[in-house]
């Protein structure tokens, strides 16, 4: 450590002191101006000084001196505030101890004495203000002003001292209570200060100069990263050309090409390790190391897929080791870009080397190698980099197999690849989300990994194979989703909600594929409505909104499938009904009624606006009426009786009216306990009644004949009479004080009938 004085430090200190002196000078001038303004606002008179010389102002005789002799006998005391900062004693008390001078003429921005500026040409009355300004008079040679008495002094040079004046309080003195706005002004003997206003709010500091916007290409590290990426891409393209194009053109032999690629990769990797250890070599080291590792990976792919020097299993094992080394180096350097570059570079250029099905295996190796990394590193970009190449390549092969006619062996390997991609995606996601439940990227990559497997059943024209694949996929995925709904099991597995939702949606799609593959047109509604019934039951039991949504989706699909089989045109025509309706239609319509009932129960258990809304009940009523009609007409057709179709429609009308009567009776009973539910039930009952009457007169009257028509009208009429009678009784009881359920209430009622005495009671 050196002991010499730094000249730069001295120069900097000198400049700072110069700046400080300038600021203090400005402060002194501001204080002097403030003093003059305070004196002017206070209205203190300026007393002229007496002098024997004509025209020279002198001192005014203080109060108590009535004659000139008294004035002449006043001894002139020393001047306060005289230059030099000396202290003087009191003139009336010889030998008294010296008192400190209140101010000095050498103050900042001029002489300040007793709180006033001594350089001013005007002096305040010393007896009125207690202040003193002497430097100005001393400088001009005038008679110095009278020295004010000290506290407890009764006279000055034999002249009686008047009583002390009230202390002057400056206008802008801060109040004792604190803030200006919340305290009263201090009292003043001179009366209230006219025009007193609070001080101005503080002026906010000026904003500094705007920071100039730096173009993206001038920012630190941007150009270096772009150059490094370009170098990686160009170098790897050169390696691919060395391995593929040179072989096609006949340059060199296979052995020199492979050895040259391996040597170049080793040199690049060694250079990357050396450069990374130097200062500022992070970007270059990552680029060189990624290029070397990706080049080695491509070299092994070429040896396995082009030259067939290695068995595919052995080649995959070697590439697994190369990729593991690259990812391990990235973990050691704690750099996500290195791992991403290794995976993306190898995956992007592998299709240049080979386009056979074995390519999918090499991409799945890259997907699998990076799974353990996610346990200790939260690298979301690596999720995407390891998943998308395998997913896109497998999707391309699956799409080619669906649209074309590949060999059976090719389809088998593509199916195996799709299943492997899905399993790696599911396993990797579950492993990651158990440690980081908030990792949404893992769930999204799992959803992407499931896409090829969901499309794989379309490769097979054999229905049993497609159904088997879809059923197994649906079972596995729905099992993963169901684990999150079992609290005890989920405590061990710890699957978050977003992962379970992805599994449930994908499993539902696989279940839909299985339903479509295993059924025909007439039996499809039964399968779909069975799945909807299961989802809605689980949703109502576990109060799960995702399960309720999936159940509603399957219910809609099942309803549409049922509507395509038993359309209104089919139900209205006897010939079409006998040709299209059967036992499958009866099962589908019956399941539709069960789904509607479970859906209403589920809607009441789930919190939300749908629980108290009338629209779900209206939709359920309409769907229920249609399902009842489909069931009765299908049953009539299935029986094979000559009038089965007519009997079915007659039964449908009677059931409509029975349902309406039940809704009305239920609403009347619940009118006192639950008015909202009663109102909904009464409204639904009246609407169904109107629908039943419309069907009776518009369709049954024209279609039915004989005894069937008579039975329909009689039953509907009796139900109407029952409903009307109960409706009238309920409201009559409400008017007389009886509850709608028939229980009497205590209501005093006067009667106008005369008693035995002839007087009205």
């Amino acid at each position: 450590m050196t002991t010499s004085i730094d000249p730069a430090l001295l120069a900097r200190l000198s400049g700072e002191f110069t700046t400080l002196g300038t600021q203090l000078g400005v402060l002194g001038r501001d204080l002097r101006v403030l003093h003059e303004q305070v004196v002017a606002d206070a209205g203190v008179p300026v007393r002229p000084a007496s002098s024997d010389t004509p025209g020279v102002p002198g001192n005014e005789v203080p109060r108590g001196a009535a004659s000139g002799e008294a004035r002449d006998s006043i001894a002139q005391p020393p001047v306060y505030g005289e230059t030099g900062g000396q202290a003087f004693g009191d003139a009336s008390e010889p030998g008294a101890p010296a008192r400190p001078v209140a101010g000095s003429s050498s103050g900042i921005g001029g002489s300040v004495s007793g709180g006033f500026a001594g350089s001013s040409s005007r002096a305040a009355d010393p007896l009125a203000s207690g202040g003193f300004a002497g430097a100005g008079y001393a400088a001009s040679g005038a008679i110095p002003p009278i020295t004010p008495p000290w506290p407890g002094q009764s006279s000055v040079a034999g002249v009686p001292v008047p009583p002390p004046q009230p202390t002057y309080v400056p206008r802008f003195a801060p109040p004792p209570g604190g803030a200006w706005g919340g305290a009263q002004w201090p009292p003043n003997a001179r009366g209230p200060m006219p025009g007193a206003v609070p001080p101005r709010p503080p002026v906010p500091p000026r904003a500094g100069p705007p920071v100039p916007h730096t173009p993206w290409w001038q920012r630190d590290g941007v150009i270096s990263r772009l150059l490094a990426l370009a170098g990686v891409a160009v170098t790897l393209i050169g390696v691919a050309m060395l391995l593929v194009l040179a072989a096609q053109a006949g340059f060199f032999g296979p052995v020199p090409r492979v050895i040259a690629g391996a040597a170049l990769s080793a040199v690049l990797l060694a250079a990357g390790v050396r450069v990374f250890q130097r200062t500022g070599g992070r970007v270059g080291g990552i680029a060189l190391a990624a290029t070397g590792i990706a080049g080695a990976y491509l070299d092994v792919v070429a040896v396995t897929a082009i030259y067939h020097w290695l068995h595919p299993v052995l080649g995959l094992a070697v590439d697994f080791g190369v990729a593991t080394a690259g990812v391990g180096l990235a973990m050691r350097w704690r750099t996500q870009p290195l791992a991403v570059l290794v995976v993306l570079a190898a995956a992007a250029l592998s299709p240049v080397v080979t386009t056979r099905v074995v390519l999918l295996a090499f991409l799945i190796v890259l997907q699998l190698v990076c799974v353990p990394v996610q346990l200790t590193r939260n690298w979301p970009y690596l999720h995407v980099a390891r998943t998308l190449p395998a997913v896109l390549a497998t999707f391309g092969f699956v799409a080619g197999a669906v649209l074309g006619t590949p060999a059976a062996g090719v389809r088998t390997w593509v199916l195996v690849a799709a299943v492997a991609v899905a399993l790696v995606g599911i396993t990797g996601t579950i492993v990651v989300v158990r440690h980081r439940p908030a990792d949404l990227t893992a769930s999204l990559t799992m959803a992407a990994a499931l896409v090829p497997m969901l499309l794989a059943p379309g490769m097979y024209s054999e229905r049993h194979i497609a159904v088997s694949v879809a059923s197994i996929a649906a079972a596995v995925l729905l099992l993963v989703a169901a684990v999150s709904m079992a609290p005890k099991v989920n405590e061990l597995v710890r699957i978050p909600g977003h992962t379970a939702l992805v599994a449930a949606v994908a499993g539902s799609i696989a279940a839909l594929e299985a339903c479509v593959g295993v059924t025909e047109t007439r039996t499809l509604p039964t399968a779909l409505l069975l799945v909807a019934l299961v989802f809605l039951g689980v949703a109502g039991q576990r109060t799960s909104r995702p399960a309720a949504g999936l159940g509603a989706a399957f219910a809609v699909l099942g309803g549409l499938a049922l509507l395509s089989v038993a359309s209104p045109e089919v139900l209205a025509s006897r010939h079409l009904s006998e040709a299209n309706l059967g036992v499958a239609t009866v099962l589908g319509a019956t399941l539709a009624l069960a789904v509607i009932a479970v859906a209403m129960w589920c809607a009441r258990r789930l919190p939300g606006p749908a629980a108290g809304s009338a629209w779900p009940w209206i939709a359920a009523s309409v769907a229920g009426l249609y399902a009842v009609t489909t069931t009765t007409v299908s049953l009539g057709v299935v029986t094979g009786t000559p009038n089965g179709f007519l009997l079915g429609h007659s039964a449908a009308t009677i059931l409509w009216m029975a349902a309406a009567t039940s809704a009305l009776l239920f609403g009347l009973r619940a009118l006192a306990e639950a008015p909202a539910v009663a109102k909904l039930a009464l409204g639904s009952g009246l609407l169904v009644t109107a629908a039943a009457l419309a069907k009776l007169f518009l369709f049954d009257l024209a279609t039915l004949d004989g005894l069937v028509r008579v039975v329909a009208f009689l039953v509907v009429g009796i139900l109407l009479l029952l409903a009307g009678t109960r409706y009238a009784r309920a409201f009559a009881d409400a008017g007389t004080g009886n509850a709608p359920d028939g229980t009497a209430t205590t209501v005093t009622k006067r009667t106008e009938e005369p008693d035995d005495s002839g007087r009205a009671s």
Side-chain angles (χ1 to χ4, degrees), residues 31-243:
L31 289 175
R32 184 173 67 253
V33 174
L34 178 62
H35 163 255
E36 294 177 358
Q37 295 176 356
V38 169
V39 172
D41 291 343
V44 179
V46 179
R47 301 174 182 270
S50 62
S51 176
D52 295 337
T53 305
V56 180
N59 290 329
E60 184 179 349
V61 178
R63 287 175 241 182
S67 63
E69 289 81 8
R71 183 172 61 248
D72 295 337
S73 64
I74 299 176
Q76 302 296 335
V79 179
Y80 275 74
E82 190 164 337
T83 306
Q86 299 176 359
F88 300 92
D90 196 328
S92 62
E93 299 180 6
R99 298 181 182 272
V101 180
S104 174
S105 60
S106 59
I108 300 171
S111 62
V112 180
S113 176
F116 298 92
S119 61
S120 175
S121 60
R122 297 183 300 166
D125 186 358
L127 297 181
S129 63
F132 175 68
Y137 290 100
S140 61
I143 299 175
I146 299 175
T147 305
W150 297 103
Q153 186 175 353
S154 60
S155 64
V156 176
V159 179
V161 178
Q165 299 294 324
T167 304
Y168 170 74
V169 180
R171 170 187 282 185
F172 299 109
W180 286 99
Q184 298 294 331
W185 293 101
N188 196 305
R190 305 178 189 274
M193 301 178 186
V197 294
R200 296 179 180 178
V203 180
R206 296 181 180 179
V211 180
H213 178 69
T214 304
W216 65 270
W217 52 273
Q218 292 183 356
R219 297 174 187 172
D220 185 22
V222 173
I223 297 299
S224 60
R225 290 184 176 89
L226 291 178
L227 293 177
L229 290 176
V232 171
V234 172
T235 305
L236 289 177
I237 291 174
V239 172
M241 294 173 65
L242 175 66
L243 296 173

Side-chain angles (χ1 to χ4, degrees), residues 236-653:
L236 289 177
I237 291 174
V239 172
M241 294 173 65
L242 175 66
L243 296 173
V244 179
L245 298 181
Q248 294 177 356
F251 299 149
F252 307 107
V255 176
R257 288 194 291 268
V258 173
I259 293 177
L264 179 60
S265 300
V267 170
L268 291 174
L269 179 59
V273 174
R274 184 175 181 84
V275 170
F276 187 85
Q277 296 175 353
R278 296 182 178 181
T279 304
R282 181 179 180 84
V283 175
I286 290 174
L288 290 172
T291 306
I293 296 170
Y297 196 91
L298 295 177
D299 199 48
V300 177
V301 173
V303 169
T304 305
I306 297 179
Y307 305 120
H308 304 287
W309 294 349
L310 293 176
H311 190 272
V313 177
L314 184 59
L316 292 175
V318 175
D319 258 351
F320 185 86
V322 173
T324 303
V327 174
L329 183 62
M331 294 183 64
R332 181 180 179 183
W333 287 357
R334 298 179 180 272
T335 169
Q336 183 179 195
L338 176 57
V340 173
L341 279 177
V342 168
V343 174
L344 286 183
L349 292 176
S350 292
V352 178
V353 179
T354 182
T355 56
R356 299 179 182 178
V357 182
V358 70
L359 171 66
L360 300 179
F362 286 104
L363 296 180
I364 294 172
V365 165
L366 292 175
Q367 182 189 11
L368 181 61
V369 164
C370 301
V371 171
V373 180
Q374 307 292 3
L375 294 177
T376 57
R377 296 286 187 272
N378 185 14
W379 290 352
Y381 296 108
L382 187 59
H383 273 306
V384 180
R386 71 179 177 85
T387 304
L388 284 185
V391 170
L392 294 177
T394 309
F395 177 80
F397 276 91
V398 170
V402 171
L403 299 177
T405 55
V410 174
R411 287 189 301 177
T412 302
W413 283 113
V414 172
L415 176 62
V416 171
V419 173
V421 171
L423 289 178
V424 174
I426 295 173
T427 305
T429 298
I430 293 177
V431 167
V432 170
V433 297
R434 292 182 75 248
H435 294 80
R436 291 187 297 276
D439 195 345
L440 294 177
T441 307
S443 297
L444 294 177
T445 54
M446 184 184 82
L450 294 174
V451 172
M453 188 187 65
L454 295 177
L455 297 178
M459 297 186 301
Y460 295 93
S461 58
E462 300 86 353
R463 179 173 293 185
H464 64 281
I465 299 178
V467 171
S468 301
V469 173
S471 301
I472 294 174
V476 173
L477 293 173
L478 293 178
L479 180 62
V480 173
V483 166
S484 63
M485 295 185 181
K488 294 183 179 180
V489 180
N490 198 30
E491 289 179 0
L492 300 175
V493 184
R494 298 196 302 273
I495 297 179
H498 52 84
T499 305
L501 179 61
V502 170
V505 172
S508 301
I509 296 174
L512 178 62
E513 293 178 345
C515 291
V516 173
V518 78
T519 59
E520 297 178 352
T521 304
R522 294 185 179 183
T523 57
L524 179 60
T526 303
L528 295 177
L529 291 173
L530 275 175
V531 178
L533 193 63
V534 173
F535 273 116
L536 291 174
V538 173
Q541 183 68 25
R542 296 295 181 181
T543 62
S544 173
R545 289 182 178 275
L550 294 173
F554 272 94
V556 171
L557 293 176
L560 293 176
L562 181 62
L563 189 63
S564 65
V565 176
S567 62
E569 182 182 2
V570 172
L571 294 178
S573 172
R574 182 171 184 173
H575 174 70
L576 293 177
S577 296
E578 293 176 352
N580 294 281
L581 302 182
V583 178
T585 313
V586 175
L587 291 176
T590 306
L591 282 175
L593 291 173
V595 168
I596 293 170
V598 175
M600 291 297 98
W601 169 73
C602 180
R604 294 187 61 183
R605 289 182 58 87
L606 289 177
S613 178
W615 290 106
W617 295 92
I618 296 175
S621 300
V622 174
L625 294 178
Y626 196 89
V628 166
T629 305
T630 305
T631 304
T632 56
V633 174
S634 300
L635 282 174
V637 171
V638 168
T639 57
T641 59
N643 295 326
F645 174 76
L646 302 178
L647 290 173
H649 272 288
S650 177
T653 305

